[in-house]
Amino acid sequence: NLEGLGAPKNDAEALRWCRKAAEQGHAWGQNHLAWMYEAGRAVDSDVAEARKWYGKAATQGNEHGQAALKRLEGK
């Protein structure tokens, strides 16, 4: 989060960069893109899409993605 450090909050721009990173296979980008889908930030909330991206991050050993998948079980 760069807000307060000279960068204004811009969910649409964050989504664009997270998607770009996620599609290139970066676990951090995949996890953050998943969170944006789960939270409905700059996109409609979509748990299935969030689960997909968390799964990609988790497969790479991303602990946040792994924890999110467990949290979303049953949703």
Side-chain angles (χ1 to χ4, degrees), residues 14 28 49 57:
W28 179 91
E49 191 70 9

Side-chain angles (χ1 to χ4, degrees), residues 22-53:
E23 289 173 347
Q24 291 180 15
H26 296 280
W28 179 91
Q30 292 166 341
N31 186 69
H32 280 74
L33 181 60
W35 176 81
M36 293 187 86
Y37 273 106
E38 182 182 1
R41 299 291 293 262
V43 292
D44 290 334
S45 182
D46 185 336
V47 174
E49 191 70 9
R51 190 177 287 115
K52 175 183 111 177
W53 288 106

Side-chain angles (χ1 to χ4, degrees), residues 9-28:
K9 182 178 174 181
N10 184 330
D11 286 345
E13 191 69 7
L15 177 69
R16 186 172 79 83
W17 285 105
C18 287
R19 184 180 309 285
K20 190 172 221 163
E23 289 173 347
Q24 291 180 15
H26 296 280
W28 179 91

